[in-house]
Coordinates of all heavy atoms in Angstrom, one line a residue:
M1261 N 15.7 44.9 -41.1 CA 15.2 43.5 -41.6 C 15.4 42.5 -40.5 O 16.6 42.6 -39.8 CB 16.1 43.3 -42.8 CG 15.8 41.9 -43.3 SD 16.7 41.7 -45.0 CE 17.1 40.2 -45.0
L1262 N 14.7 41.8 -40.2 CA 14.6 40.6 -39.2 C 15.6 39.4 -39.7 O 15.5 39.1 -40.9 CB 13.4 40.0 -38.8 CG 12.4 41.0 -38.1 CD1 11.0 40.3 -37.9 CD2 13.0 41.4 -36.7
T1263 N 16.4 39.0 -38.8 CA 17.3 37.8 -39.2 C 16.3 36.6 -38.9 O 15.4 36.6 -38.3 CB 18.4 37.7 -38.4 OG1 18.0 37.5 -37.0 CG2 19.3 38.9 -38.5
T1264 N 16.6 35.5 -39.5 CA 15.9 34.3 -39.2 C 16.7 33.3 -38.5 O 16.7 32.1 -38.5 CB 15.5 33.6 -40.6 OG1 16.8 33.4 -41.3 CG2 14.5 34.4 -41.4
Q1265 N 17.6 33.9 -37.5 CA 18.4 33.1 -36.6 C 18.4 33.8 -35.3 O 18.8 34.9 -35.2 CB 19.9 32.9 -37.2 CG 20.7 32.2 -36.2 CD 21.5 31.1 -36.8 OE1 21.3 30.7 -37.9 NE2 22.5 30.5 -36.2
V1266 N 18.1 33.0 -34.3 CA 18.2 33.4 -32.9 C 19.5 33.1 -32.4 O 20.0 32.0 -32.5 CB 17.0 33.0 -32.0 CG1 17.3 33.5 -30.6 CG2 15.7 33.4 -32.5
T1267 N 20.3 34.0 -31.8 CA 21.7 33.8 -31.4 C 21.8 33.6 -29.9 O 20.7 33.9 -29.2 CB 22.5 35.0 -31.7 OG1 22.2 36.2 -31.0 CG2 22.5 35.3 -33.2
Y1268 N 22.8 33.2 -29.4 CA 23.1 33.1 -27.9 C 22.9 34.5 -27.2 O 22.5 34.6 -26.2 CB 24.4 32.5 -27.6 CG 24.4 31.0 -27.8 CD1 25.0 30.5 -28.9 CD2 23.8 30.2 -26.9 CE1 24.8 29.0 -29.1 CE2 23.7 28.7 -27.1 CZ 24.4 28.2 -28.2 OH 24.2 26.9 -28.5
D1269 N 23.4 35.6 -27.8 CA 23.3 36.9 -27.5 C 21.8 37.2 -27.2 O 21.5 37.8 -26.1 CB 23.9 37.9 -28.4 CG 25.4 37.9 -28.4 OD1 26.0 37.6 -27.2 OD2 26.1 38.2 -29.3
E1270 N 21.0 36.9 -28.3 CA 19.5 37.3 -28.2 C 18.9 36.4 -27.2 O 18.0 36.9 -26.4 CB 18.9 37.1 -29.5 CG 17.4 37.6 -29.6 CD 16.8 37.6 -30.9 OE1 17.5 37.2 -32.0 OE2 15.6 37.8 -31.0
L1271 N 19.2 35.2 -27.1 CA 18.7 34.3 -25.9 C 19.1 34.9 -24.6 O 18.1 34.9 -23.8 CB 19.1 32.9 -26.1 CG 18.6 31.8 -25.1 CD1 16.9 31.9 -25.1 CD2 19.0 30.5 -25.5
A1272 N 20.3 35.2 -24.4 CA 20.6 35.8 -23.1 C 19.9 37.0 -22.7 O 19.5 37.2 -21.6 CB 22.2 36.1 -23.0
T1273 N 19.7 38.0 -23.7 CA 18.9 39.1 -23.4 C 17.5 38.8 -23.1 O 16.9 39.4 -22.2 CB 18.9 40.0 -24.8 OG1 20.2 40.4 -25.1 CG2 18.0 41.2 -24.7
L1274 N 16.9 37.8 -23.8 CA 15.5 37.4 -23.5 C 15.4 36.8 -22.2 O 14.4 36.9 -21.5 CB 15.0 36.5 -24.7 CG 14.8 36.9 -25.9 CD1 14.6 35.9 -27.0 CD2 13.4 37.8 -26.0
M1275 N 16.4 36.0 -21.8 CA 16.4 35.3 -20.4 C 16.5 36.5 -19.3 O 15.8 36.4 -18.4 CB 17.6 34.4 -20.3 CG 17.4 33.1 -21.1 SD 19.0 32.2 -21.0 CE 19.0 31.5 -19.4
K1276 N 17.1 37.6 -19.6 CA 17.3 38.6 -18.7 C 16.0 39.3 -18.6 O 15.6 39.7 -17.5 CB 18.4 39.5 -19.0 CG 18.5 40.9 -18.2 CD 18.9 40.5 -16.9 CE 19.2 41.8 -16.0 NZ 19.2 41.5 -14.6
R1277 N 15.5 39.7 -19.8 CA 14.2 40.7 -19.9 C 13.0 39.9 -19.4 O 12.2 40.5 -18.8 CB 14.2 41.2 -21.3 CG 13.2 42.3 -21.4 CD 13.1 43.0 -22.7 NE 12.9 41.8 -23.9 CZ 13.7 41.9 -25.1 NH1 14.5 42.8 -25.2 NH2 13.3 41.0 -25.9
G1278 N 12.9 38.7 -19.8 CA 11.8 37.9 -19.7 C 11.7 37.2 -18.4 O 10.6 37.0 -17.9
A1279 N 12.8 36.8 -17.8 CA 12.7 36.0 -16.6 C 13.7 36.5 -15.5 O 13.7 35.9 -14.4 CB 13.1 34.5 -16.9
G1280 N 14.4 37.5 -15.8 CA 15.3 38.1 -14.8 C 16.5 37.3 -14.4 O 17.2 37.3 -13.5
V1281 N 16.8 36.4 -15.5 CA 18.0 35.4 -15.3 C 19.1 36.1 -16.0 O 19.0 36.3 -17.3 CB 17.7 34.0 -15.9 CG1 19.0 33.2 -15.9 CG2 16.6 33.4 -15.0
T1282 N 20.3 36.5 -15.2 CA 21.4 37.0 -16.1 C 22.4 36.0 -16.3 O 22.8 35.3 -15.4 CB 22.1 38.1 -15.2 OG1 21.1 39.2 -14.8 CG2 23.1 38.8 -15.9
V1283 N 22.8 35.9 -17.6 CA 23.8 34.9 -18.0 C 24.6 35.6 -19.2 O 24.1 36.2 -20.0 CB 23.1 33.6 -18.4 CG1 22.2 33.8 -19.6 CG2 24.2 32.6 -18.8
D1284 N 25.9 35.5 -19.1 CA 26.7 36.0 -20.2 C 26.5 35.2 -21.5 O 26.4 33.9 -21.4 CB 28.2 35.9 -19.7 CG 29.1 36.3 -20.7 OD1 29.6 35.6 -21.6 OD2 29.5 37.6 -20.6
P1285 N 26.3 35.9 -22.7 CA 26.2 35.1 -23.8 C 27.1 34.1 -24.2 O 26.9 33.0 -24.6 CB 26.0 36.1 -24.9 CG 25.6 37.5 -24.2 CD 26.2 37.2 -22.8
R1286 N 28.5 34.4 -23.9 CA 29.5 33.6 -24.1 C 29.6 32.4 -23.3 O 29.8 31.2 -23.7 CB 30.8 34.3 -24.1 CG 31.0 35.2 -25.2 CD 32.3 36.3 -25.1 NE 32.1 37.0 -24.0 CZ 31.2 38.2 -23.9 NH1 30.4 38.4 -24.8 NH2 31.1 38.9 -22.7
E1287 N 29.1 32.6 -22.0 CA 29.0 31.4 -21.1 C 27.8 30.5 -21.4 O 27.9 29.3 -21.3 CB 28.9 31.9 -19.6 CG 28.8 30.8 -18.6 CD 29.9 29.9 -18.5 OE1 31.1 30.3 -18.8 OE2 29.6 28.7 -18.2
L1288 N 26.7 31.1 -21.9 CA 25.5 30.4 -22.3 C 25.9 29.6 -23.5 O 25.6 28.4 -23.5 CB 24.4 31.5 -22.7 CG 23.1 30.8 -23.1 CD1 22.5 30.0 -21.9 CD2 22.2 32.0 -23.5
E1289 N 26.8 30.0 -24.4 CA 27.1 29.2 -25.6 C 28.1 28.1 -25.1 O 28.0 27.0 -25.6 CB 27.7 30.1 -26.6 CG 28.2 29.4 -27.9 CD 28.7 30.3 -28.9 OE1 28.8 31.5 -28.9 OE2 28.7 29.7 -30.1
R1290 N 29.0 28.4 -24.2 CA 29.8 27.3 -23.7 C 29.0 26.2 -23.0 O 29.5 25.0 -23.0 CB 31.0 27.9 -22.8 CG 32.0 28.5 -23.6 CD 33.2 28.9 -22.6 NE 32.9 29.9 -21.6 CZ 33.1 31.1 -21.8 NH1 33.4 31.6 -23.1 NH2 32.8 32.0 -21.0
A1291 N 28.0 26.6 -22.2 CA 27.2 25.7 -21.5 C 25.8 25.4 -22.2 O 24.8 25.1 -21.5 CB 26.8 26.4 -20.0
S1292 N 25.9 25.3 -23.6 CA 24.7 25.1 -24.3 C 24.0 23.8 -24.0 O 22.7 23.7 -24.3 CB 25.1 25.3 -25.7 OG 26.0 24.2 -26.2
D1293 N 24.6 22.8 -23.5 CA 24.1 21.6 -23.1 C 23.7 21.5 -21.7 O 23.2 20.3 -21.2 CB 24.9 20.4 -23.6 CG 25.0 20.2 -25.0 OD1 24.0 20.6 -25.8 OD2 26.0 19.8 -25.6
T1294 N 23.8 22.6 -21.0 CA 23.4 22.6 -19.6 C 21.8 22.8 -19.4 O 21.3 23.7 -20.2 CB 24.1 23.8 -18.9 OG1 25.5 23.4 -18.9 CG2 23.8 23.8 -17.5
P1295 N 21.2 22.1 -18.7 CA 19.6 22.3 -18.6 C 19.4 23.6 -18.1 O 20.0 24.3 -17.3 CB 19.3 21.2 -17.5 CG 20.4 20.2 -17.6 CD 21.5 20.8 -17.9
F1296 N 18.3 24.2 -18.8 CA 17.7 25.6 -18.3 C 17.6 25.7 -16.8 O 17.9 26.8 -16.3 CB 16.5 25.9 -18.9 CG 16.7 26.4 -20.5 CD1 16.0 25.7 -21.4 CD2 17.4 27.5 -20.9 CE1 16.3 26.1 -22.8 CE2 17.5 28.0 -22.0 CZ 17.0 27.3 -23.1
G1297 N 17.1 24.7 -16.2 CA 17.0 24.8 -14.7 C 18.1 25.1 -13.9 O 18.2 25.8 -13.0
I1298 N 19.4 24.5 -14.4 CA 20.6 24.7 -13.7 C 21.1 26.2 -13.9 O 21.6 26.8 -13.1 CB 21.6 23.7 -14.2 CG1 21.3 22.4 -13.6 CG2 23.1 24.2 -13.8 CD1 22.2 21.2 -14.0
L1299 N 20.6 26.8 -15.2 CA 20.9 28.1 -15.4 C 20.1 29.1 -14.7 O 20.1 30.3 -14.9 CB 20.8 28.2 -16.9 CG 22.0 27.5 -17.8 CD1 21.6 27.6 -19.3 CD2 23.2 27.9 -17.5
G1300 N 19.0 28.6 -13.9 CA 18.2 29.5 -13.4 C 16.8 29.9 -14.1 O 16.0 30.7 -13.6
L1301 N 16.6 29.2 -15.2 CA 15.3 29.6 -16.1 C 14.4 28.3 -15.9 O 14.7 27.2 -16.2 CB 15.8 29.7 -17.5 CG 14.6 30.0 -18.5 CD1 14.2 31.4 -18.2 CD2 15.1 29.9 -20.0
D1302 N 13.2 28.7 -15.4 CA 12.1 27.6 -15.3 C 11.3 27.6 -16.5 O 11.3 28.4 -17.3 CB 11.4 27.8 -14.0 CG 10.6 29.2 -14.0 OD1 10.5 29.9 -15.0 OD2 10.1 29.6 -12.9
S1303 N 10.3 26.7 -16.5 CA 9.5 26.5 -17.6 C 8.5 27.7 -17.9 O 8.3 27.9 -19.2 CB 8.6 25.2 -17.5 OG 7.7 25.3 -16.3
L1304 N 8.1 28.4 -16.8 CA 7.4 29.6 -17.1 C 8.2 30.7 -17.8 O 7.8 31.5 -18.7 CB 6.8 30.0 -15.8 CG 5.8 31.3 -15.9 CD1 4.7 30.9 -16.6 CD2 5.4 31.6 -14.6
G1305 N 9.4 30.8 -17.4 CA 10.3 31.8 -18.1 C 10.6 31.5 -19.5 O 10.6 32.3 -20.3
L1306 N 10.7 30.2 -19.8 CA 11.0 29.6 -21.2 C 9.6 29.9 -22.0 O 9.8 30.3 -23.1 CB 11.3 28.2 -21.3 CG 11.9 27.7 -22.6 CD1 12.9 28.4 -23.2 CD2 12.2 26.2 -22.5
L1307 N 8.5 29.7 -21.4 CA 7.1 30.0 -22.1 C 7.1 31.5 -22.5 O 6.8 31.9 -23.7 CB 6.2 29.7 -21.2 CG 4.7 29.9 -21.8 CD1 4.5 28.9 -23.1 CD2 3.7 29.4 -20.8
G1308 N 7.7 32.4 -21.6 CA 7.7 33.8 -21.9 C 8.6 34.2 -23.0 O 8.3 34.9 -23.8
I1309 N 9.7 33.5 -23.1 CA 10.6 33.7 -24.2 C 10.1 33.2 -25.5 O 10.2 33.8 -26.6 CB 11.9 33.0 -23.9 CG1 12.7 33.6 -22.7 CG2 12.9 32.9 -25.1 CD1 13.9 33.0 -22.2
V1310 N 9.4 32.1 -25.5 CA 8.8 31.5 -26.7 C 7.7 32.6 -27.1 O 7.7 32.8 -28.3 CB 8.0 30.1 -26.5 CG1 7.1 29.8 -27.6 CG2 9.1 29.1 -26.2
G1311 N 6.9 33.1 -26.3 CA 5.9 34.2 -26.6 C 6.5 35.4 -27.3 O 6.1 36.0 -28.1
E1312 N 7.6 35.8 -26.6 CA 8.4 37.0 -27.1 C 8.9 36.8 -28.5 O 8.8 37.6 -29.4 CB 9.6 37.3 -26.2 CG 10.4 38.5 -26.5 CD 9.7 39.7 -26.2 OE1 9.0 39.9 -25.2 OE2 10.2 40.8 -26.8
L1313 N 9.6 35.6 -28.7 CA 10.0 35.3 -30.0 C 8.8 35.2 -31.1 O 9.1 35.7 -32.3 CB 10.9 34.1 -30.1 CG 12.1 34.2 -29.3 CD1 12.8 32.7 -29.1 CD2 13.1 35.0 -30.2
E1314 N 7.7 34.6 -30.8 CA 6.5 34.5 -31.6 C 6.1 35.9 -32.0 O 5.8 36.2 -33.3 CB 5.4 33.8 -31.0 CG 5.8 32.3 -30.9 CD 4.6 31.4 -30.2 OE1 3.8 32.0 -29.3 OE2 4.6 30.2 -30.5
N1315 N 6.0 36.8 -31.0 CA 5.7 38.3 -31.3 C 6.7 38.9 -32.2 O 6.4 39.6 -33.1 CB 5.5 38.9 -30.0 CG 4.3 38.5 -29.2 OD1 3.3 38.1 -29.8 ND2 4.3 38.8 -27.9
Q1316 N 7.8 38.7 -31.8 CA 8.9 39.4 -32.7 C 9.0 38.8 -34.1 O 9.3 39.8 -35.0 CB 10.2 39.0 -31.9 CG 11.5 39.7 -32.6 CD 12.8 39.5 -31.9 OE1 12.8 39.1 -30.7 NE2 14.0 39.7 -32.5
Y1317 N 8.9 37.6 -34.4 CA 9.0 37.0 -35.6 C 7.7 36.9 -36.4 O 7.6 36.6 -37.6 CB 9.8 35.8 -35.6 CG 11.4 36.0 -35.4 CD1 11.8 35.9 -34.0 CD2 12.2 36.4 -36.4 CE1 13.1 36.0 -33.8 CE2 13.4 36.6 -36.1 CZ 13.9 36.5 -34.8 OH 15.2 36.7 -34.5
G1318 N 6.6 37.1 -35.6 CA 5.3 37.1 -36.4 C 4.9 35.6 -36.7 O 4.1 35.6 -37.8
R1319 N 5.4 34.6 -36.1 CA 4.9 33.3 -36.5 C 4.9 32.4 -35.2 O 5.7 32.7 -34.2 CB 5.8 32.6 -37.6 CG 7.2 32.5 -37.2 CD 8.0 31.7 -38.3 NE 7.8 32.5 -39.6 CZ 8.8 33.1 -40.2 NH1 10.0 32.9 -39.8 NH2 8.6 33.8 -41.3
S1320 N 4.1 31.4 -35.2 CA 4.0 30.4 -34.0 C 5.3 29.5 -34.1 O 5.8 29.0 -35.2 CB 2.8 29.6 -34.0 OG 1.6 30.5 -33.8
L1321 N 5.7 29.3 -33.0 CA 6.8 28.2 -32.8 C 6.1 26.9 -32.4 O 5.0 26.9 -31.9 CB 7.8 28.7 -31.7 CG 8.6 29.9 -32.0 CD1 9.5 30.3 -30.8 CD2 9.4 29.7 -33.2
P1322 N 6.8 25.8 -32.7 CA 6.2 24.4 -32.2 C 5.9 24.3 -30.7 O 6.7 25.0 -30.0 CB 7.2 23.5 -32.8 CG 8.2 24.1 -33.6 CD 8.1 25.6 -33.3
P1323 N 4.9 23.6 -30.4 CA 4.6 23.3 -29.0 C 5.8 22.8 -28.2 O 6.0 23.1 -27.1 CB 3.5 22.3 -29.0 CG 2.8 22.5 -30.3 CD 4.0 22.9 -31.4
D1324 N 6.7 22.1 -28.8 CA 7.9 21.5 -28.3 C 8.9 22.7 -27.8 O 9.7 22.4 -27.0 CB 8.7 20.7 -29.1 CG 7.9 19.8 -30.1 OD1 6.7 20.0 -30.2 OD2 8.6 18.8 -30.6
S1325 N 8.7 23.9 -28.2 CA 9.7 24.9 -28.0 C 9.8 25.2 -26.5 O 10.9 25.3 -26.0 CB 9.3 26.2 -28.7 OG 9.1 26.1 -30.0
E1326 N 8.7 25.2 -25.9 CA 8.6 25.4 -24.3 C 9.0 24.2 -23.6 O 9.2 24.4 -22.3 CB 7.2 25.8 -23.9 CG 6.1 25.0 -24.2 CD 4.7 25.7 -24.4 OE1 4.6 26.6 -25.1 OE2 4.0 25.0 -23.6
R1327 N 9.2 23.1 -24.1 CA 9.6 21.9 -23.4 C 11.0 21.6 -23.6 O 11.6 20.6 -23.2 CB 8.8 20.6 -23.9 CG 7.3 20.8 -23.4 CD 6.7 19.4 -23.5 NE 6.3 19.2 -25.0 CZ 5.2 19.6 -25.5 NH1 4.3 20.2 -24.9 NH2 5.0 19.2 -26.8
C1328 N 11.8 22.4 -24.5 CA 13.3 22.1 -24.6 C 14.0 22.3 -23.2 O 13.6 23.0 -22.4 CB 13.9 23.1 -25.4 SG 13.3 23.1 -27.3
R1329 N 15.0 21.4 -23.1 CA 15.6 21.4 -21.9 C 17.1 22.2 -21.8 O 17.5 22.5 -20.7 CB 16.0 19.8 -21.6 CG 14.7 19.1 -21.4 CD 14.9 17.6 -21.1 NE 15.7 17.2 -19.9 CZ 15.1 17.2 -18.7 NH1 13.8 17.4 -18.6 NH2 15.9 16.9 -17.8
T1330 N 17.6 22.4 -22.9 CA 18.8 23.0 -22.9 C 18.9 24.3 -24.0 O 18.0 24.2 -24.9 CB 20.0 22.1 -23.4 OG1 19.8 21.8 -24.8 CG2 20.0 20.8 -22.4
P1331 N 19.7 25.2 -23.9 CA 19.8 26.4 -24.7 C 20.0 25.8 -26.2 O 19.4 26.2 -27.2 CB 21.0 27.2 -24.4 CG 21.0 26.9 -22.8 CD 20.7 25.4 -22.7
Q1332 N 20.9 24.8 -26.4 CA 21.3 24.3 -27.8 C 20.0 23.7 -28.4 O 19.6 24.0 -29.5 CB 22.4 23.3 -27.6 CG 22.8 22.8 -29.1 CD 23.4 24.0 -29.8 OE1 24.4 24.6 -29.4 NE2 22.8 24.4 -31.0
E1333 N 19.3 22.9 -27.6 CA 18.0 22.3 -28.1 C 17.0 23.3 -28.5 O 16.4 23.2 -29.5 CB 17.5 21.4 -27.0 CG 16.2 20.6 -27.3 CD 15.7 19.7 -26.2 OE1 16.3 19.7 -25.2 OE2 14.6 19.1 -26.5
F1334 N 16.9 24.3 -27.6 CA 16.0 25.5 -28.0 C 16.3 26.2 -29.2 O 15.4 26.3 -30.1 CB 16.0 26.4 -26.8 CG 15.0 27.5 -26.9 CD1 13.5 27.2 -26.8 CD2 15.4 28.8 -27.2 CE1 12.6 28.3 -27.0 CE2 14.3 29.8 -27.3 CZ 13.1 29.5 -27.1
L1335 N 17.7 26.6 -29.3 CA 18.0 27.4 -30.4 C 17.9 26.5 -31.7 O 17.5 27.0 -32.8 CB 19.4 27.9 -30.3 CG 19.6 29.0 -29.2 CD1 21.0 29.4 -29.1 CD2 18.7 30.3 -29.7
D1336 N 18.3 25.1 -31.6 CA 18.1 24.4 -32.8 C 16.7 24.4 -33.4 O 16.4 24.6 -34.5 CB 18.6 22.9 -32.6 CG 20.2 22.9 -32.5 OD1 20.8 23.8 -32.8 OD2 20.6 21.9 -31.9
L1337 N 15.7 24.1 -32.4 CA 14.3 24.0 -32.9 C 13.8 25.3 -33.3 O 13.2 25.5 -34.4 CB 13.5 23.7 -31.6 CG 12.1 23.4 -31.9 CD1 11.8 22.4 -32.9 CD2 11.3 23.0 -30.6
V1338 N 14.0 26.4 -32.6 CA 13.6 27.7 -33.1 C 14.2 28.1 -34.5 O 13.5 28.6 -35.2 CB 14.0 28.8 -31.8 CG1 13.7 30.3 -32.4 CG2 13.1 28.5 -30.6
N1339 N 15.5 28.1 -34.5 CA 16.2 28.3 -35.8 C 15.7 27.7 -37.0 O 15.5 28.2 -38.0 CB 17.7 28.4 -35.6 CG 18.1 29.7 -34.7 OD1 17.5 30.7 -34.8 ND2 19.0 29.5 -34.0
S1340 N 15.5 26.3 -36.7 CA 15.1 25.4 -37.9 C 13.6 25.9 -38.3 O 13.2 25.8 -39.4 CB 15.1 24.0 -37.5 OG 14.3 23.6 -36.5
T1341 N 12.7 26.3 -37.3 CA 11.5 26.6 -37.5 C 11.5 27.9 -38.3 O 10.6 28.1 -39.3 CB 10.7 26.9 -36.2 OG1 10.6 25.6 -35.6 CG2 9.2 27.4 -36.5
L1342 N 12.3 28.9 -37.8 CA 12.3 30.3 -38.5 C 12.9 30.1 -40.0 O 12.4 30.7 -40.9 CB 13.3 31.2 -37.7 CG 12.7 31.7 -36.4 CD1 13.7 32.5 -35.7 CD2 11.4 32.3 -36.6
K1343 N 13.9 29.2 -40.2 CA 14.5 29.1 -41.6 C 13.4 28.4 -42.4 O 13.2 28.7 -43.7 CB 15.6 28.1 -41.5 CG 16.9 28.9 -41.1 CD 18.0 27.9 -40.9 CE 19.3 28.7 -40.4 NZ 20.4 27.8 -40.2
A1344 N 12.6 27.5 -41.8 CA 11.6 26.8 -42.7 C 10.5 27.9 -43.2 O 9.9 27.7 -44.2 CB 11.0 25.6 -41.9
G1345 N 10.3 28.7 -42.4 CA 9.2 29.7 -42.7 C 9.8 30.9 -43.4 O 8.9 31.8 -43.8
A1346 N 11.0 31.1 -43.7 CA 11.6 32.1 -44.2 C 11.3 32.1 -45.8 O 11.2 31.2 -46.3 CB 13.3 32.3 -44.1

């Protein structure tokens, strides 16, 4: 059964798999307001993560998803979208 919540662990895995950016999930959570660029993730990498999540959950995410600047902003938007569609 799929959950309707993306975690920092999952985001860290997606960052590694989709963009080659290695970040510890606990550090990602502590640095949740740090811009993705500082963490080493560019807009193309974030777009890949959005596509992966859309495939995984079988629904489209808002266009703003790929414009999120921080992990917290991204997870808030993605999780609220998934909850609304659950």
Side-chain angles (χ1 to χ4, degrees):
M1261 180 169 146
L1262 292 176
T1263 64
T1264 56
Q1265 175 132 351
V1266 179
T1267 64
Y1268 284 100
D1269 286 333
E1270 187 173 2
L1271 180 57
T1273 299
L1274 289 166
M1275 288 172 70
K1276 172 68 174 169
R1277 188 172 59 222
V1281 174
T1282 302
V1283 60
D1284 180 271
R1286 289 167 297 285
E1287 181 58 34
L1288 185 61
E1289 188 169 4
R1290 280 192 293 273
S1292 63
D1293 289 327
T1294 301
F1296 278 120
I1298 291 175
L1299 297 170
L1301 185 69
D1302 63 12
S1303 59
L1304 188 58
L1306 189 56
L1307 182 60
I1309 291 170
V1310 168
E1312 179 77 24
L1313 288 170
E1314 287 178 335
N1315 289 336
Q1316 182 176 340
Y1317 289 97
R1319 65 178 55 120
S1320 293
L1321 296 175
D1324 322 14
S1325 303
E1326 60 203 48
R1327 290 190 289 271
C1328 289
R1329 299 178 57 82
T1330 68
Q1332 186 65 58
E1333 182 183 355
F1334 181 74
L1335 289 177
D1336 287 347
L1337 180 64
V1338 168
N1339 288 330
S1340 67
T1341 300
L1342 292 176
K1343 284 180 187 174

